[in-house]
Amino acid sequence: MRDASSVAAVVRQFGPAYITRFGATMPAGHRRALEDLAACRTAAMGGHVTQCDTCGHEHFVYHSCRNRSCPSCHGASTRAWLTARETELLPVPYFHVVFTLPAALRAIVRTHQRVLLPVLMQTAAASLRALAADPHHLGGTVGMLAVLHTWTRTLGYHPHVHCLVPGGALATDGVTWRRARGRYLVPVRALSCGFRARFLRRLKRLLPDVVVPATVWKTPWVVYAKPTVQGADLVLRYLARYVHRAAITDARIVRVDAATVTFRYQDAQARAWRTMTLAGEEFLRRFLQHVLPRGFHTVRYYGWWRPQAAATRTRLQQQLAPPDPSPRRDGPPADATGAPVPCCPHCGTGHLLRTRRLLRAPALARPP
């Protein structure tokens, strides 16, 4: 059973009342998320039994729900994703670019997220690629990794896109690498204007009946591009935490009582940790607004960072700085899938081997 101060505990305590109140209008994905999180790592999900090969002690392990909104799942997926992306980095400086929608558009995007969230990612990438292709700037094709975030530290709805971009572009001849000029990638003001124009043009074409506030044309949109002074690896590890993670982690839940949920958040201006207390249903409302439509991809690749351009990316790695092979080190014992075999927590010396399976509750079985 998971800890009493966790997102799962909040769902188990306040979820039934929330479904009773809002079930008729809830998206199917929100209901599924509540059901999965409530059952995650419990007997309802089924599991397996492992036995130590030294002391013979048995351990019961319940399966995770694997819902992408669950804060307790996907640790292995995150590590695998990070490892794969680290092998794709070029030996060049990188830039961290962020595209943010103005507050006046957030409610519209929240209502039409299946249509507008893809537009947000596509127009952000198109704006940067168009400026990078300009001969006055980089004059070539950039590779880009884009990750969508929708939340603030207090679980507010705040859609924005983080991009990791190498400081350079591949020229039109497909061979020449054009480096960025120091700490400068592209002009941020022009990038912001292009992003605004592309997004609003697509919004009006796809949703002609939606009333767009006139102020969004007059206020500058927040876009910034900064070099990754501490290295691309650090930004990549930061983005990895959000690729397979929910809007809040269990570690931030301070207390769950009969009526409220208290959680920690970081105050960016004061650079200090604060606490916030919300009614249980309000916490669930904020949490569920970050459960994205089924099938939506929060991570996207553009230019020569696309999976289809693996050969080009490998050639660039070799061209810019051929990697120096490092000696291979033997890791801990692994099972048939290559995953490390865990040590026995009872004796501390043996390793746990799976012996039998525990079936999940029929009501939670997913259709084929």
Side-chain angles (χ1 to χ4, degrees), residues 90-171:
L90 302 184
V92 299
Y94 273 74
F95 286 79
H96 184 194
V97 186
V98 181
F99 296 84
T100 303
L101 289 178
L105 288 178
R106 292 172 193 170
I108 296 175
V109 175
R110 173 67 184 86
T111 305
H112 304 280
Q113 56 181 338
R114 188 176 290 276
V115 175
L116 294 181
L117 287 181
V119 172
L120 169 59
M121 301 191 74
Q122 293 161 6
T123 54
S127 303
L128 181 54
R129 294 175 65 188
L131 271 182
D134 190 328
H136 293 92
H137 305 303
L138 292 176
T141 302
V142 293
M144 186 188 323
L145 164 66
V147 180
L148 173 72
H149 294 183
T150 61
W151 56 82
T152 65
R153 293 177 173 88
T154 57
L155 301 183
Y157 194 74
H158 178 54
H160 55 289
V161 180
H162 290 263
C163 300
L164 186 61
V165 186
L170 186 62

Side-chain angles (χ1 to χ4, degrees), residues 15-355:
Y18 189 91
I19 292 176
T20 300
R21 183 177 178 184
F22 303 108
T25 58
M26 283 178 61
H30 290 192
R31 182 186 290 269
R32 185 74 206 194
L34 293 180
E35 294 173 352
D36 286 349
L37 268 65
C40 186
R41 301 181 192 275
T42 68
M45 295 300 299
H48 60 271
V49 181
T50 60
Q51 186 175 28
C52 179
D53 59 2
T54 299
C55 68
H57 192 81
E58 284 192 334
H59 303 266
F60 290 79
V61 181
Y62 296 121
H63 291 164
S64 61
C65 66
R66 294 183 296 177
N67 190 298
R68 69 174 178 179
S69 298
C70 180
S72 298
C73 297
H74 310 296
S77 301
T78 299
R79 291 190 293 271
W81 182 88
L82 178 59
T83 300
R85 300 293 81 75
E86 286 176 338
T87 64
E88 297 169 354
L89 293 176
L90 302 184
V92 299
Y94 273 74
F95 286 79
H96 184 194
V97 186
V98 181
F99 296 84
T100 303
L101 289 178
L105 288 178
R106 292 172 193 170
I108 296 175
V109 175
R110 173 67 184 86
T111 305
H112 304 280
Q113 56 181 338
R114 188 176 290 276
V115 175
L116 294 181
L117 287 181
V119 172
L120 169 59
M121 301 191 74
Q122 293 161 6
T123 54
S127 303
L128 181 54
R129 294 175 65 188
L131 271 182
D134 190 328
H136 293 92
H137 305 303
L138 292 176
T141 302
V142 293
M144 186 188 323
L145 164 66
V147 180
L148 173 72
H149 294 183
T150 61
W151 56 82
T152 65
R153 293 177 173 88
T154 57
L155 301 183
Y157 194 74
H158 178 54
H160 55 289
V161 180
H162 290 263
C163 300
L164 186 61
V165 186
L170 186 62
T172 54
D173 61 8
V175 177
T176 305
W177 177 256
R178 298 174 61 91
R179 294 183 179 274
R181 298 192 294 271
R183 298 173 60 86
Y184 175 85
L185 184 66
V186 293
V188 175
R189 181 173 298 181
L191 184 60
S192 174
C193 293
F195 172 50
R196 177 178 61 188
R198 285 180 173 85
F199 183 88
L200 292 177
R201 190 162 55 242
R202 291 281 301 277
L203 189 158
K204 294 302 295 181
R205 184 168 70 248
L206 295 173
L207 300 171
D209 297 330
V210 172
V211 178
V212 178
T215 56
V216 300
W217 281 104
K218 301 176 182 179
T219 57
W221 289 24
V222 178
V223 177
Y224 74 80
K226 297 182 179 179
T228 57
V229 179
Q230 296 177 321
D233 290 346
L234 184 64
V235 176
L236 198 58
R237 288 195 294 272
Y238 166 77
L239 295 179
R241 297 201 301 266
Y242 297 91
V243 170
H244 298 286
R245 204 187 80 175
I248 188 170
T249 62
D250 289 341
R252 288 174 55 195
I253 305 294
V254 177
R255 183 175 60 257
V256 181
D257 58 30
T260 64
V261 180
T262 302
F263 63 94
R264 298 186 308 129
Y265 71 95
Q266 195 170 32
D267 188 331
Q269 293 184 345
R271 296 184 179 181
W273 284 94
R274 312 286 191 192
T275 59
M276 175 175 288
T277 299
L278 299 174
E281 291 186 5
E282 171 59 16
F283 178 89
L284 288 182
R285 185 197 69 81
R286 294 195 186 193
F287 177 80
L288 288 173
Q289 67 182 346
H290 306 295
V291 175
L292 298 177
R294 184 177 181 180
F296 181 81
H297 296 284
T298 59
V299 183
R300 305 193 180 193
Y301 308 86
Y302 300 93
W304 46 258
W305 207 331
R306 295 176 299 118
Q308 299 87 342
T312 300
R313 189 170 55 249
T314 301
R315 180 176 57 77
L316 281 174
Q317 289 176 321
Q318 297 172 347
Q319 171 185 334
L320 295 172
D324 193 14
S326 57
R328 181 177 178 179
R329 298 179 180 178
D330 294 331
D335 60 17
T337 65
V341 176
C343 291
C344 175
H346 183 69
C347 66
T349 57
H351 293 92
L352 300 180
L353 304 178
R354 185 175 300 194
T355 58

